[in-house]
């Protein structure tokens, strides 16, 4: 697939400075380390509930969220949401505790992996409903438009989610309301076991943008800089009243649909080939050291920092108590008074 749908002639973004590059790498490495640890913890029987891992897709969350603010920008995630949450700044230890079902979790241990939300960070929530995020983002983007504060709503969804009626209706609504919204379709090639090559009518998610009269682009999700550029243009367009954008990010998931998936529908060497040839972290390291923007020592020290953070997050989560029966009826209703 080619990047044929760039609809603007906007000037390219400046290259991120060293601090921004370090921050992007820290996000991606933290997500990878977090996910690899969860893979082990789930196999060891430590995690209640379902877990869908984001490993392999890190450049998408990091490249998009690099352009977002805490205060005015909101994000709606998916069932595969850990990467989006970390990239949007949700506390990593509170996330781990949530996934372990502990009272110290970001949702007091009552949401788990698929319902992590942190409104203070503009994270409207991971979401067990495929295609559940785009309608939420129409509401959030409309609110930002009415407030006039330049805020942007971002919805992540998968190739499967791109075929949901809710997503298509949201693209239409965002177009006719000219909303400051960015729709990010993470095309990892599968919806559970169904290949995107079969299920995406027309073959291109990004091409659907043209039908709604909005900007659309398809980018290589193994390249942080490709995502960063497309997302930066989309967020700038949204902030300046230019309306919504649909970005398709082509990427790979390294683990099963859910933890425990035998993945019999994938070629035996499919993931190994993706890991060795198209890994976004490996590629980022090569790009920034090749351009002499960061050193290997700087990158390695972030690897160590992420490992320590995830180690501490797991030991603190395991030591924390679960919610009690008395917590059952708290956090159920919100009072707006
Ligand atoms: C409305 C709805 N239909 C079906 C499901 C079951 N389901 C959970 S994940 C999934 C596949 C989603 O695929 P995709 O959108 O490509 O996301 P990915 O898992 O690849 O990240 C399905 C069908 C659901 N959770 N919600
Ligand atoms: Mg998918």
């Amino acid at each position: 697939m080619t990047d044929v749908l760039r609809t603007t002639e906007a000037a390219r973004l400046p290259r991120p400075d060293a601090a921004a590059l370090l921050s992007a790498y820290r996000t991606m490495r933290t997500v990878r380390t977090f996910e690899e640890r969860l893979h082990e913890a789930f196999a060891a029987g430590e995690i209640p509930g379902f877990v869908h891992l984001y490993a392999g897709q890190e450049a998408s969350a990091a490249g998009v969220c690099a352009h977002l603010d805490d205060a005015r920008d909101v994000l709606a995630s998916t069932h595969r949401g850990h990467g989006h949450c970390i990239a949007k700044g949700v506390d990593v230890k509170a996330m781990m505790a949530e996934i372990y079902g502990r009272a110290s979790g970001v949702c007091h241990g009552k949401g788990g992996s698929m319902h992590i939300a942190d409104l203070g960070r503009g994270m409207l929530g991971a979401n067990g409903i495929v295609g559940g995020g785009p309608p939420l983002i129409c509401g959030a983007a409309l609110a930002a438009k009415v407030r006039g504060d330049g805020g942007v709503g971002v919805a992540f969804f998968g190739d499967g989610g791109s075929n949901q009626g809710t997503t298509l209706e949201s693209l239409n609504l965002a177009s006719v309301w000219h909303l400051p919204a960015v729709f990010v379709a993470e095309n990892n090639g599968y919806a559970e076991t169904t290949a995107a090559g079969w299920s995406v009518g027309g073959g291109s998610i990004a091409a659907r943008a043209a039908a709604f009269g909005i900007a659309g682009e398809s980018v290589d999700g193994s390249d942080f800089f490709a995502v960063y550029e497309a997302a930066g243009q989309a967020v700038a367009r949204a902030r300046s009243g230019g309306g919504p954008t649909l970005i398709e990010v082509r990427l790979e998931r390294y683990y099963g649909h859910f933890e425990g998936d035998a993945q019999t529908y994938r070629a035996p060497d499919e993931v190994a080939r993706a890991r060795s040839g198209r890994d976004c972290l490996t590629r980022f390291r090569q790009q920034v050291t090749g351009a002499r923007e960061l050193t290997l020592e700087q990158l390695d020290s972030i690897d160590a920092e992420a490992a320590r953070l995830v180690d501490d997050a797991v030991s603190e989560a395991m030591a924390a108590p679960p919610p009690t029966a008395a917590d059952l009826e708290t956090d159920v209703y919100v009072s707006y008074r």
Side-chain angles (χ1 to χ4, degrees):
M1 196 183 297
T2 51
D3 300 344
V4 290
L5 292 158
R6 185 181 283 271
T7 52
T8 58
E9 298 303 323
R12 288 190 72 79
L13 300 181
R15 185 91 167 172
D17 63 16
L21 291 172
L22 284 169
S23 166
Y25 184 73
R26 181 178 292 107
T27 298
M28 292 196 289
R29 178 58 72 194
T30 304
V31 175
R32 178 69 56 86
T33 308
F34 191 91
E35 298 297 70
E36 287 177 340
R37 174 57 81 89
L38 276 182
H39 178 68
E40 291 167 16
F42 191 90
E46 291 172 11
I47 311 286
F50 259 97
V51 172
H52 305 82
L53 297 181
Y54 191 75
Q57 306 189 180
E58 292 87 349
S60 173
V64 172
C65 293
H67 301 286
L68 304 182
D69 298 349
D70 272 359
R72 56 182 178 162
D73 298 331
V74 297
L75 188 160
S77 178
T78 68
H79 55 286
R80 199 175 300 289
H82 307 159
H84 308 140
C85 293
I86 291 175
K88 193 67 174 69
V90 181
D91 184 80
V92 169
K93 290 182 174 178
M95 281 179 62
M96 191 65 89
E98 184 61 37
I99 294 168
Y100 270 80
R102 307 303 163 127
S104 52
V106 63
C107 301
H108 306 149
K110 294 188 266 183
S113 165
M114 259 190 289
H115 301 98
I116 295 174
D118 185 350
L119 300 187
R121 293 281 180 181
M123 165 52 67
L124 294 188
N127 201 320
I129 301 169
V130 173
L136 297 180
I137 279 312
C138 286
L142 179 62
K145 184 172 175 173
V146 170
R147 281 196 309 268
D149 62 4
V152 172
V154 178
F156 286 94
F157 49 96
D159 43 285
S162 78
N163 298 329
Q164 291 289 84
T166 48
T167 302
L168 298 165
E169 290 172 42
S170 298
L171 288 166
N172 189 58
L173 204 54
S175 171
V176 298
W177 284 352
H178 206 60
L179 294 178
V182 181
F183 296 90
V184 184
E186 298 186 318
N187 184 351
N188 60 11
Y190 297 97
E192 295 198 358
T193 63
T194 304
W198 180 84
S199 68
V200 175
S204 164
I205 299 170
R208 294 175 179 180
F212 296 103
I214 66 173
E217 187 167 359
S218 172
V219 295
D220 177 357
S222 72
D223 181 358
F224 166 82
F225 294 97
V227 180
Y228 179 87
E229 175 72 26
Q233 301 287 0
V235 169
R237 180 178 301 121
R239 290 205 202 289
S240 62
T245 302
L246 170 60
I247 302 170
E248 175 179 4
V249 187
R250 307 182 309 270
L251 31 70
E252 314 270 350
R253 70 163 147 78
Y254 285 174
Y255 295 105
H257 169 64
F258 56 91
E259 284 307 271
D261 176 5
Q263 302 192 71
T264 49
Y265 51 92
R266 300 183 96 169
D269 62 344
E270 187 178 312
V271 173
R273 276 192 284 119
R275 279 182 183 271
S276 65
R278 294 191 297 285
D279 182 71
C280 58
L281 279 150
T282 307
R283 189 162 175 191
F284 185 93
R285 288 172 69 97
Q286 289 163 350
Q287 287 166 318
V288 297
T289 53
R292 298 188 184 284
E293 291 163 311
L294 296 178
T295 64
L296 278 177
E297 291 70 30
Q298 286 176 298
L299 296 166
D300 291 346
S301 95
I302 285 181
D303 292 357
E305 190 189 301
R308 277 195 304 275
L309 174 62
V310 170
D311 279 349
D312 291 349
V314 170
S315 34
E316 287 176 28
M318 290 186 84
T324 65
D327 300 321
L328 193 63
E329 292 180 16
T330 59
D331 309 313
V332 179
Y333 298 106
V334 172
S335 169
Y336 291 101
R337 292 193 201 189

